[in-house]
Amino acid sequence: DIQMTQSPSSLSASEGDRVNITCRASQGIGHYLAWYQQNPGKPPRLLIYAASSLQSGVPSRFSGSGYGTDFSLTISSLQPEDVATYYCQNYNSPPPAFGPGTKVDLK
Amino acid sequence: EVQLVESGGGLVQPGGSLRLSCAASGFTFDTHAMTWVRQAPGKGLEWVSTIIGSGGSIYYRDSVQGRFTISRDNSKNTLYLQLNSLRVEDTAVYFCARDQSLARGVIAWFSDSWGQGAQVTVSS
């Protein structure tokens, strides 16, 4: 099975900062990578699929990039409502695997 | 608007059983694969099981194979997860999620809509 890792596990940034989260797959997965945002006590929300396609309704400050084994999620200007945990997910083949998550806080 | 509402969670002893339901609305239910994802307390997300729109193909993670059964009733727009032989490590919030199936019979393997979750607690 493919394993997913994320870095950092947590970060603190100021409002307006550019934030980058990295996700790595244990083997190549093409562009089959999704990103989710989860607030405490809430279900996940799909942000990005196919590594870089923005889900409908998601603000344009979110963007994704990467191919193969290395991927990133970027928030171009961090907003208070972006405080959450972010998960990547491989969907190249079953079983789909999630990364361990990156917790984003405001300084 | 897509809505997914889980029910059936609760407290059960090790070895016990529960059945979760997920009532779907706002979309053509039988055209989408459906998935259960769980999240243990303070932990990350873990895929549990997926069923294709027709119900004809089913997938499970290894740790629940033989103990959990996913099913769907397309006439009732409802997804189910039967949990048997429950273990303490099955304690989690169980989310019902819609697969972003772009065509009937196809599984995208990621989810674009999620329910609020049902708490399952396995404890003596």
Side-chain angles (χ1 to χ4, degrees), chain B:
Chain B
E1 179 193 4
V2 174
Q3 285 200 325
L4 301 168
V5 180
E6 300 94 337
S7 60
L11 173 64
V12 61
Q13 292 187 339
S17 298
L18 277 177
R19 188 174 87 151
L20 304 181
S21 299
C22 171
S25 61
F27 66 101
T28 305
F29 185 65
D30 65 359
T31 63
H32 286 264
M34 296 294 293
T35 289
W36 289 98
V37 172
R38 67 185 180 184
Q39 187 168 36
K43 302 297 184 182
L45 301 169
E46 182 175 82
W47 172 79
V48 174
S49 182
T50 295
I51 184 169
I52 206 168
S54 66
S57 294
I58 287 172
Y59 303 82
Y60 298 101
R61 70 177 301 104
D62 289 346
S63 62
V64 309
Q65 180 82 46
R67 300 189 299 122
F68 291 7
T69 303
I70 191 172
S71 62
R72 62 192 297 160
D73 185 338
N74 289 341
S75 69
K76 295 181 178 179
N77 288 353
T78 302
L79 174 72
Y80 303 99
L81 186 67
Q82 178 69 41
L83 296 77
N84 295 334
S85 302
L86 281 162
R87 305 167 180 168
V88 171
E89 56 266 32
D90 295 319
T91 295
V93 174
Y94 284 72
F95 295 102
C96 159
R98 185 182 82 163
D99 185 87
Q100 199 195 60
S101 313
L102 297 180
R104 188 183 296 271
V106 174
I107 302 175
W109 292 107
F110 68 96
S111 300
D112 62 2
S113 296
W114 297 66
Q116 291 298 310
Q119 176 69 53
V120 172
T121 303
V122 185
S123 175
S124 55

